[in-house]
Amino acid sequence: MSGSLRLALFGPPGAGKGTQAQLLKDKLNLAHISSGDLFRHHLGEGTELGTRASEFMNKGLLVPDGLVIGMVLGEVAGLGQDSGFILDGFPRTREQAEALDTALKVRSQPLDLALLVSVPEAELVRRLGGRFICRECQAPHNLEESQFTSPPRCERCSGELYQRDDDRPDAIQVRIGVYQKQTAPVLDFYRERGLLKEISGVGAVEEINARAITVLGLDSPGQVG
Ligand code: AMP
C-alpha cells in the first residue's frame, strides 16, 4: 500500500535532497517527483523540452516557469487520488509554489509539509565538486579524489557514474546564488502557512534521514503514511 504523505523537499544544491528523497520514498512508500530528473530524462530522450531546458541547466540557471510547471503538475495529476508524494526540486519560485497550491487545492490534497534540509555554503561547494550521478538509477555518490576508479561505478547497480555539467565549479556558484535569490524566498510561502520544518543536512545520510522522520512525526510505530 502506498503512503499518503504529501511533502515538498527544499534545500540548496548539494544539500542531499535527492538522497533523502530516495530514502523517504522507500521507507514511506511515496511517489518521488524530481523536476531535475524529469528534465534530465527529457534531455536523454532528445525531446524539445529537454533541449530547451538544458540551455538553462548547463549554466546553473532556473528553467523558466512556463516549462517547469506544466511538466511537474502533469506528473502530480498522473498519480492516484490517494497516492502520497515527495516533490524534490519543485517549487523553486514563488510562481511555481502558487501554481502547485492551486493544483493541489483542486484535488483537495493540500501539501502536508515543506521540509528544508540546510547545509552551510562551504560544505555545499565541497560536496558538489565531488558529486557523481549514476546514469542508470540516478543515485548520487560523493567521491573524494582518492575514491576515483576508472570508470567510476554505482555502488547500487554498477551503472556508470558521471559528473553533471552543472556540478562544475563555475556553475556551482551560479546555482547557489540562484537558490539564495529565487528559491529561499519560496520558503516564506510555506512558513506563512505554518507548513515549514527544517533539519540540518550535515552528518551521515542515515542520521539526517532519522532527523527527517522525527520532524515528520513518523518515528512512532503505526504512524507511517
Ligand atoms: P536539480 O537536479 O534539482 O539540482 O536540478 C537541476 C537543474 O534543473 C536546476 O539547476 C535547474 O536548471 C533545473 N530545474 C530543476 N527543477 C527546477 C525548477 N523547479 N524550476 C526551474 N528549474 C529547475
Side-chain angles (χ1 to χ4, degrees):
M1 203 183 93
S2 73
S4 57
L5 184 73
R6 294 181 293 273
L7 173 69
L9 216 48
F10 289 89
K17 286 190 305 294
T19 305
Q20 291 304 323
Q22 280 289 348
L23 286 174
L24 291 172
K25 166 200 151 131
D26 292 345
K27 285 189 184 171
L28 307 177
N29 204 8
L30 303 171
H32 175 202
I33 300 178
S34 156
S35 42
D37 284 352
L38 288 171
F39 281 132
R40 283 183 286 278
H41 179 75
H42 273 278
L43 190 59
E45 297 286 304
T47 69
E48 194 191 331
L49 176 59
T51 310
R52 289 173 69 189
S54 71
E55 289 169 33
F56 300 90
M57 293 170 74
N58 292 342
K59 295 183 193 138
L61 299 174
L62 291 188
V63 176
D65 288 333
L67 297 180
V68 185
I69 292 173
M71 176 184 75
V72 175
L73 295 186
E75 291 290 313
V76 173
L79 298 174
Q81 179 68 16
D82 297 324
S83 172
F85 55 80
I86 304 175
L87 292 173
D88 165 8
F90 181 94
R92 263 168 152 111
T93 64
R94 179 97 193 181
E95 193 175 341
Q96 291 176 21
E98 280 167 4
L100 174 67
D101 199 49
T102 305
L104 292 179
K105 270 194 190 128
V106 169
R107 286 169 68 97
S108 304
Q109 293 184 317
L111 212 60
D112 293 311
L113 211 73
L115 179 62
L116 168 63
V117 181
S118 48
V119 172
E121 185 172 331
E123 170 76 5
L124 296 175
V125 173
R126 193 188 65 74
R127 285 187 191 178
L128 289 170
R131 180 161 79 169
F132 286 74
I133 311 289
C134 175
R135 274 194 206 285
E136 304 301 322
C137 73
Q138 312 299 324
H141 292 60
N142 258 293
L143 300 185
E144 304 286 339
E145 248 175 273
S146 60
Q147 293 174 293
F148 284 10
T149 53
S150 182
R153 294 273 162 201
C154 175
E155 55 188 31
R156 285 169 71 174
C157 73
S158 298
E160 188 194 349
L161 299 181
Y162 73 101
Q163 186 163 42
R164 288 166 33 177
D165 284 343
D166 56 354
D167 280 345
R168 305 234 167 92
D170 45 342
I172 289 173
Q173 284 302 341
V174 175
R175 287 166 67 207
I176 292 175
V178 163
Y179 174 80
Q180 282 159 352
K181 198 162 161 225
Q182 292 179 269
T183 304
V186 177
L187 298 173
D188 290 336
F189 181 92
Y190 294 104
R191 199 173 280 122
E192 284 157 15
R193 288 161 178 73
L195 292 178
L196 186 71
K197 303 251 186 200
E198 180 171 355
I199 57 168
S200 162
V202 178
V205 167
E206 278 298 341
E207 219 176 287
I208 300 163
N209 192 245
R211 284 177 208 143
I213 296 280
T214 301
V215 101
L216 294 174
L218 299 173
D219 48 359
S220 14
Q223 297 218 350
V224 171

